[in-house]
Structure formats: structure tokens, C-alpha cells
Amino acid sequence: MKQRGPPLARLTPNQGADPMTLLADSDEWRALRADADALANTTMRALFAEDPKRFARYSVEAAGLFLDYSKNKITDDVLDHLMALAGAAKLEAARQAMTSGQPINATEGRAVLHVALRDFAMRAYHVGGENVSPAVERERARMKAFADRVHAGVHKGFTGKPLTTVVNIGIGGSDLGPLMATEALRPYWIEGRRAHFVSNVDGQHLADTLSQVDPQTTLFIVASKTFTTQETMTNAQSARAWLLSKGAAMGVAESDVSRHFIALSTNEVAVTAFGIDAENMFRFWDWVGGRFSLWSAIGLSIALQVGFSNFERLLRGAHAMDEHFRTAPIRDNMPALMALVGVWNRNFMGCASHAVLPYDQHLHRLAAYLQQAEMESNGKRVTADGAAAPAATCPVIFGEPGTNGQHAFYQLLHQGTDLISADFIAPAFSHADLGDHHQKLLSNFLAQTEALMRGKTRAEAKDDLIAEGKPPQDVERLTPHKVFPGDRPTNSIVMERLTPETLGALIALYEHKIFCQGVLWGVNSFDQWGVELGKVLAKAILPELGAAGEDMALAEAHDASTNGLINRLNAIRAGNGKG
Ligand code: F6P
């Protein structure tokens, strides 16, 4: 059954990339809306039944990853119209603008060149007329030399012991990427080394971590692009104080701080003001967005834990995906296809949430990482030129590793009232060679997308109950509960094994998907003004909060709720009861 939208001949591709027109009032958008209407009464089951080649036609392979997107409610017409949308949004030109160093992050006047960080071909990338590649290579060489010195035990702690433990202090992009990748590469950990990640300003996070480490053997990495972030600076100061007090009995001196603290930042002035020697600072640049920075100096904690050569393999894997993204036509381009199918699900199928479901325990922080990558990038309600976004933008991203999620929230995916799209990710081989665990894991991975696509009809549910021998009144009563509507859209991403290369490719796949979706929705994916207001208000509230046991004046400057909560917390902390 071929679903027909308006014929493409009537479309006017390249009518302009104005998102207002493109998203609300274009032939491309209307064609997709008509496709969605035409498909309303067609099931994915039927689409599979009528086309035995559906899997082959709606799948693509690149950089060690295989993407099956056939379990989305798409047809050739839908894809044609999505391609027309990409054409009207000038996606290819936008891709070129990014890789040529244009300041596409217009609200901050910055280029977006994380691809330059992993281009070992040393292609020239220009920012403001300057080729940044030599500086990238220089900094990478410094990182490697430092990692080698730490691994060889040449860079020692204050009692002469090697630094075998890393505590990375950072938040957001200066935490989530390195943490996620370090966990993902657990099989590559260097024996005897341990990496911890402290992000939350909640002192319990730092205290819990410090209780597990030895000051003599711990290297603190203060990771902050701006070196002004409250959480990171507070944690770094407290860690510094801890080193000096804990190490006092062992003879630590102020001057030893420089052995135990290094910085990853773009802000040399703030780093040296903090007391870290510029020699112990590893630089990156304002054209590296925080959430795209794990490939830069921000990845040093990864390199220290898995070795520099494995860190390089990660970068090379990402580069392989970059090359695919840069050169493949949009119709065969994995990140672009994922982005376009995502737009189809978000804007035409009505998916307001999107689940990331890795069937690999080592990817247990992937969803958290992508929450920042996707939602901080595309969670925008105005387009790049400041107009109200005429269509819905980024869905809510959430997820957990399979099979844990199956026993938690998949109920809602299968039978909830909202339609939720999902990415299922699995390696063919596990690093753990344990009996038939991996076949069991894979059988769940496969069964879930099949179930989400096929569902179970009323007649099938009824037949099952009858076959189970249920009495007629129970069959009637239970049937509605046993129906699965199906038609839940999913992508499946498979790879041979989770290695540094495939992990790099996977992350780059999502980065480019995010970029493409930003172009299609017309938003600036590279700023994050939405995090500012809360930061400013927290600064204002801080002096209104007392220390434990301190009596404070009643707060009056805010709304009744905020005043009331400040007063209640102050009263509890002062030991005065309710406040
Ligand atoms: O609060 C948002 C944010 O600016 C993120 O975009 C960034 O990754 C994080 O804070 C940390 O920033 P920094 O690396 O400058 O400390």
C-alpha cells in the first residue's frame, strides 16, 4: 500500500530556510502533514507485510554502526518529503557552514568545530581566518605527554607515590561526557587506576568521593570551560582544602597543590587566579561547546583511565562518523536520517518524549549524557532569529539500560496514552564472556522493538486468553488490558562490539543528529541561555540562607512561595521549628 502525499513536483525546494515559513507554512511541511493523515489508519505491521524489503530499504551502515529505522511509520513518500524538507532547510549548506568554521552559534558569535578535535588528517579548520588545527595537535600532544608521565609514575604526588586516582571535578559538559565515556570503556581501564567524577555542589558528592581516595595518590582535574561555574569552583576549593588538611600530617605543603591539581579550561586568567600553574592547564577554545567537549582537553580523565591510545581510538571513531556525515548524500546519511525521522516522530506522529535504551550496561550513563546534548542544544522555543518557534522542538530525552528499563517504565512505552519514540542500541558481542547472558540480552533487545511495532490486537489478545483456558467472563474483562496498540516508533543501532571506535562513532552520530535537528527546527543548537535565570536567582538567594544554627531575617523579596520556603528552611536550620 503506497501512501501518497502531495506530489513532489508541486513542492518548491530551496524556497528559503526561514524556519517560520518552513515549519508552519511550506509545501514540504504540508506534504508531511498529509502523509501523516494518510497513514493514520495504516499500521507498521501492514507496511512490513506488504514490503519484504522494508528492512533493507530503511537501514544504513557507517563507521562500524548499523542503523535500522524501518520500525518507524515511514514510507518512500514520507522519506521523499523529509528529503525535500532537508533541502528547503538547506541542510547541506548548514553542514558546510559548520565544518568551515562559520560563526553558526550566532547568539554567542562562535564557530562550532568539535569535528576539528578529532580530525587526524590535519585538515585546516579556520576560525576568524586562523587555522586552528596546529593548536589542536599541540594541545593533544601536551595531553599525551602528561598522561604518559602520570602512567609512568614520573609525575608523582607529594610523598613521591604515583598518582593512580583521578577525581574529575566538573559539571554539565565538563562531567557528563568524560563520565559516560569512561564508564562505557570499562573493559579498557588500566589496571590499578581509578577515576571518580564529582559534579554536584551538594557537598555529599565530594565528601563521599574523598572518603574513598588517598591524598598521596590522587590527581584532581578541575574541568571547566569558563572556570567560573559555581559548582565546580566550590568543589575545587573544598578539594584543595581537603588535600592540605588531610595531607598535613604527611608533610604536604602549599606548593604541592600544583602536583595534585590540574585544570582543563579556556580561561587561563581564572585558572592561574585559582592557583593552578599555567603549565598544568590543558586548553581548549570557545569554538568547542561544553556538551561537545569530551574530544578536547576535557577528555583527559578518559585518557588517564583507558590510556592515550584508546582515547585516540575514540577520536578516530568519531572522525569516521564525521567523514560519513560530511560526504554521504542526505538520503544515505545516518545522522541526517536519524534527525529527519526524529522530526517526523516529534512533529507529525506527536512524540513529545524520546527514550534512549542501550542494551549494554557500560552505556548506563548514555541517556544522562544525551539529556544534556539534546535538550540543552535543541530545547529552544525561539528560532535562531528570535521568532517564536512555530513547531515543537526537542522532545524530552530519558532512558536506562535494557533490560532494567523493561522492568520499570516500558509499561508506559507499550500501553501508555502517549506515543514515545525510542532508540535501541546493542553490540553483537559483550566484553563479558558469561554463559548465555548476551543471547538473553539480545533476545530482549529484539523482542522489545518487535513488540512495540507489532503490538497485539484485540482479537489476538482474546484468542490468547481463550487458549489459556480463561472462563468467558474473564476473557471479556481482561481483554482490554491485554491489548497492545503497537505502532510505537523505534530505531535499532547495532555494532559488533562496544570499542573506543564504535563509542566515538555513536557519540558523533548523536552530535550530528542534534545539529541536523537544530537546522530543521531553525534553532541555534549551540547556546544555552535557558540555564542562566536560575543561576542568577540562586546567587541572589544565597545570602538569604543562614548557616546551621544561625537566625536569619525573614525573607520578603520574593513571591510568597519562595519567601515561605526560604523562611521554613532557615527556621529548620536555625533549630526554631516551623518558621
Ligand atoms: O549550565 C550550563 C553549562 O554552561 C553547560 O553548558 C556546561 O557544560 C556546564 O554549564 C559547565 O560549564 P563549565 O565547563 O564552564 O564549567
Side-chain angles (χ1 to χ4, degrees):
M1 185 192 326
K2 239 188 161 267
Q3 302 298 325
R4 276 268 149 224
L8 274 175
R10 272 184 34 216
L11 299 178
T12 50
N14 294 325
Q15 66 181 37
D18 171 16
M20 292 295 287
T21 318
L22 184 61
L23 299 186
D25 193 28
S26 66
D27 286 343
E28 291 82 2
W29 202 258
R30 272 196 296 277
L32 288 161
R33 173 74 51 222
D35 289 336
D37 291 345
L39 284 165
N41 296 318
T42 303
T43 60
M44 274 197 254
R45 253 194 215 211
L47 294 175
F48 271 100
E50 79 190 22
D51 179 7
K53 297 220 166 69
R54 188 173 169 83
F55 170 73
R57 285 196 301 121
Y58 301 143
S59 54
V60 59
E61 194 158 10
L65 304 183
F66 182 89
L67 166 69
D68 165 26
Y69 57 99
S70 63
K71 290 195 186 94
N72 289 281
K73 205 189 243 191
I74 52 166
T75 60
D76 282 355
D77 279 353
V78 171
L79 272 184
D80 287 347
H81 295 150
L82 286 170
M83 293 308 135
L85 186 74
K90 297 192 163 72
L91 185 56
E92 289 181 354
R95 178 176 63 176
Q96 169 65 19
M98 175 171 74
T99 51
S100 63
Q102 289 177 36
I104 59 168
N105 174 1
T107 57
E108 297 180 311
R110 292 174 181 169
V112 176
L113 274 182
H114 42 275
V115 292
L117 300 167
R118 53 216 191 194
D119 188 343
F120 290 84
M122 281 292 289
R123 192 179 286 126
Y125 292 89
H126 289 99
V127 177
E130 188 196 338
N131 178 13
V132 298
S133 293
V136 168
E137 199 176 54
R138 249 192 331 270
E139 213 51 31
R140 203 161 50 216
R142 288 187 69 229
M143 284 169 69
K144 179 177 182 330
F146 180 77
D148 288 348
R149 284 207 310 280
V150 171
H151 290 147
V154 175
H155 184 104
K156 295 181 182 7
F158 67 92
T159 56
K161 291 191 175 176
L163 296 172
T164 52
T165 305
V166 160
V167 175
N168 187 85
I169 299 176
I171 196 164
S174 300
D175 167 74
L176 289 162
L179 168 55
M180 178 275 289
T182 300
E183 284 295 305
L185 298 179
R186 199 171 257 270
Y188 300 85
W189 284 10
I190 296 173
E191 215 185 312
R193 295 203 61 82
R194 191 67 221 277
H196 301 265
F197 292 83
V198 174
S199 50
N200 201 330
V201 76
D202 181 344
Q204 297 172 121
H205 199 182
L206 181 63
D208 291 349
T209 306
L210 294 179
S211 71
Q212 301 169 52
V213 305
D214 178 349
Q216 302 176 80
T217 55
T218 300
L219 175 71
F220 292 94
I221 300 183
V222 187
S224 175
K225 180 176 171 182
T226 55
F227 230 71
T228 57
T229 304
Q230 183 198 50
E231 292 88 340
T232 302
M233 293 303 108
T234 307
N235 280 323
Q237 293 288 5
S238 299
R240 188 180 191 279
W242 174 87
L243 175 75
L244 292 174
S245 78
K246 195 83 179 166
M250 294 173 255
V252 75
E254 251 329 295
S255 56
D256 291 321
V257 169
S258 64
R259 296 166 184 262
H260 287 266
F261 277 77
I262 63 166
L264 319 174
S265 188
T266 60
N267 186 349
E268 185 166 337
V269 174
V271 166
T272 43
F274 179 87
I276 294 177
D277 199 330
E279 264 306 293
N280 291 331
M281 169 181 172
F282 298 88
R283 289 166 187 76
F284 58 113
W285 305 271
D286 72 359
W287 43 264
V288 182
R291 51 193 173 274
F292 304 95
S293 64
L294 72 90
W295 323 99
S296 71
I298 290 292
L300 191 55
S301 51
I302 310 170
L304 285 167
Q305 190 58 27
V306 301
F308 204 82
S309 59
N310 284 324
F311 179 65
E312 264 194 25
R313 289 174 61 193
L314 178 78
L315 269 53
R316 287 184 193 280
H319 179 62
M321 183 56 76
D322 294 344
E323 287 303 275
H324 164 76
F325 176 58
R326 211 171 52 78
T327 56
I330 302 295
R331 187 76 185 222
D332 306 316
N333 194 305
M334 193 183 284
L337 283 164
M338 253 176 92
L340 286 160
V341 170
V343 166
W344 168 251
N345 286 332
R346 175 72 179 111
N347 298 107
F348 300 94
M349 297 287 105
C351 297
S353 305
H354 180 77
V356 177
L357 307 167
Y359 280 66
D360 187 305
Q361 185 57 28
H362 291 158
L363 289 175
H364 69 108
R365 294 299 289 166
L366 182 67
Y369 166 78
L370 289 175
Q371 282 179 340
Q372 185 198 21
E374 300 221 14
M375 295 202 274
E376 199 167 80
S377 298
N378 289 335
K380 311 279 164 71
R381 53 180 283 289
V382 294
T383 59
D385 50 13
T393 62
C394 190
V396 172
I397 306 291
F398 71 105
E400 280 290 325
T403 57
N404 296 3
Q406 290 174 208
H407 295 274
F409 56 82
Y410 280 34
Q411 162 66 39
L412 186 150
L413 301 189
H414 285 286
Q415 289 186 317
T417 48
D418 288 326
L419 188 69
I420 295 174
S421 55
D423 294 342
F424 283 72
I425 303 163
F429 293 106
S430 163
H431 286 278
D433 187 16
L434 273 184
D436 62 355
H437 281 244
H438 203 63
Q439 287 98 304
K440 285 179 176 155
L441 182 70
L442 288 177
S443 69
N444 279 281
F445 163 79
L446 295 163
Q448 287 298 326
T449 61
E450 185 178 29
L452 287 162
M453 184 276 288
R454 281 185 65 80
K456 190 190 266 192
T457 63
R458 201 181 156 79
E460 288 167 346
K462 207 167 183 169
D463 286 350
D464 283 355
L465 287 164
I466 293 167
E468 283 169 30
K470 292 273 188 259
Q473 68 276 23
D474 282 357
V475 170
E476 281 313 310
R477 187 171 59 82
L478 292 175
T479 295
H481 301 279
K482 301 273 189 171
V483 171
F484 289 70
D487 266 352
R488 280 20 197 173
T490 61
N491 292 316
S492 296
I493 300 171
V494 299
M495 65 198 85
E496 189 177 322
R497 203 181 292 273
L498 187 62
T499 62
E501 287 88 354
T502 52
L503 177 67
L506 183 69
I507 303 168
L509 167 64
Y510 277 99
E511 286 181 342
H512 295 317
K513 175 200 115 168
I514 290 164
F515 166 74
C516 292
Q517 290 194 328
V519 173
L520 294 163
W521 284 320
V523 301
N524 176 2
S525 303
F526 301 104
D527 60 13
Q528 55 283 318
W529 300 107
V531 301
E532 294 304 321
L533 181 59
K535 285 189 197 172
V536 171
L537 294 183
K539 271 206 183 106
I541 290 173
L542 183 58
E544 298 180 63
L545 291 172
E550 187 181 5
D551 278 323
M552 295 296 290
L554 283 183
E556 288 170 342
H558 310 270
D559 58 87
S561 163
T562 310
N563 286 334
L565 288 166
I566 292 172
N567 295 333
R568 174 65 65 111
L569 285 166
N570 274 336
I572 297 169
R573 286 167 61 76
N576 291 346
K578 283 184 158 195

